[in-house]
Amino acid sequence: MASSNPDRPDGRRARGAASRATILDAATELFSTHGYTGTTISAIAASTGLRPGSIYHAFGSKQGLLDAVMTSVADRAFGAVESITHDTESAVGPRLQQTARTLVGDPVFLRLFLLLALEKVDDEQVRSIVESVRSRARAAVTTALAPLLDDLPTDLRPVAAEATGRIALILLDGVFVSHQLDSEHADLDQTLALVTAMAELALGQLPTMLGRPDQSSPGGHE
């Protein structure tokens, strides 16, 4: 039986995939700790034991590496969220709480995202990456809240969905920061229940916010 040859195409692909995974892991750790501007390709190379040229070969640029990192962590986070939001058998409140728990429970993803957002990097590609991930987060949360909009007129639902997604993400940002600052004393279940109640209260004010004060609140009664 012939022994495997590491120089064969399949061997090179395996080594390339392993190197790519190593680079992604190191870059994720460094970006989420030091931010984008505070992380250099040289630092990532030192962490992996690879040459900087290997990183550029695999990802093209520092922006390309950031894009791959954000795609990887976002796919992991939103993959878990989508399984929750598509569970139409569960009530909206528990679905929203579980969605929030999943996002807050992935500190690398949110810490990385908030660091990039706060850095205000003067790079259009980096800003585009951040905005793309934010849009995915808003869409995931909006999907979880969508059943609460069923009582609104059809023409108001797109605007209402945008508003609810924005409100929910503002609340989730606060939950994450609070949980990181006071993780020893924070009661996550209690906090998420409060956030859910606040989101539902905000939904009740949507008709007024959208210029339809005579419309009954979503999920409410005439």
Side-chain angles (χ1 to χ4, degrees):
M1 181 176 177
S3 60
S4 60
N5 184 348
D7 292 326
R8 292 179 60 180
D10 54 349
R12 289 196 296 272
R13 281 195 295 270
R15 290 199 309 276
S19 295
R20 184 181 176 88
T22 298
I23 295 168
L24 279 175
D25 287 345
T28 299
E29 174 65 25
L30 291 172
F31 282 147
S32 65
T33 303
H34 304 291
Y36 178 75
T37 56
T39 300
T40 64
I41 291 295
S42 295
I44 297 170
S47 178
T48 60
L50 299 170
R51 296 179 179 179
S54 298
I55 298 174
Y56 285 113
H57 177 74
F59 297 96
S61 64
K62 185 179 176 183
Q63 294 96 326
L65 176 55
L66 175 66
D67 190 14
V69 166
M70 290 301 291
T71 297
S72 175
V73 297
D75 284 349
R76 181 185 66 222
F78 295 132
V81 166
E82 285 170 2
S83 67
I84 298 166
T85 57
H86 292 160
D87 177 18
T88 56
E89 297 300 317
S90 299
V92 173
R95 266 195 289 161
L96 180 58
Q97 288 188 40
Q98 189 57 39
T99 297
R101 177 181 293 282
T102 298
L103 292 175
V104 172
D106 191 341
V108 171
F109 166 63
L110 284 176
R111 185 168 61 243
L112 176 58
F113 176 81
L114 290 176
L115 276 175
L116 291 173
L118 291 171
E119 277 187 328
K120 299 294 184 184
V121 179
D122 188 22
D123 185 307
E124 186 63 34
Q125 185 176 351
V126 173
R127 287 199 300 271
S128 177
I129 293 169
V130 173
E131 290 168 4
S132 175
V133 172
R134 188 67 166 180
S135 294
R136 288 184 67 183
R138 186 163 50 248
V141 174
T142 299
T143 299
L145 291 168
L148 293 177
L149 306 179
D150 288 345
D151 290 342
L152 284 176
T154 304
D155 63 316
L156 284 184
R157 289 179 194 172
V159 179
E162 174 68 20
T164 57
R166 187 166 61 249
I167 291 168
L169 281 185
I170 290 170
L171 293 172
L172 284 175
D173 289 342
V175 169
F176 174 72
V177 172
S178 175
H179 192 62
Q180 294 299 305
L181 292 175
D182 196 24
S183 59
E184 291 185 3
H185 302 97
D187 185 330
L188 187 57
D189 288 333
Q190 186 179 59
T191 301
L192 292 179
L194 178 60
V195 166
T196 300
M198 291 175 67
E200 292 175 339
L201 181 62
L203 283 169
Q205 300 301 314
L206 274 177
T208 299
M209 293 167 58
L210 299 175
R212 299 285 183 89
D214 59 334
Q215 174 68 36
S216 61
S217 61
H221 303 284
E222 296 287 354

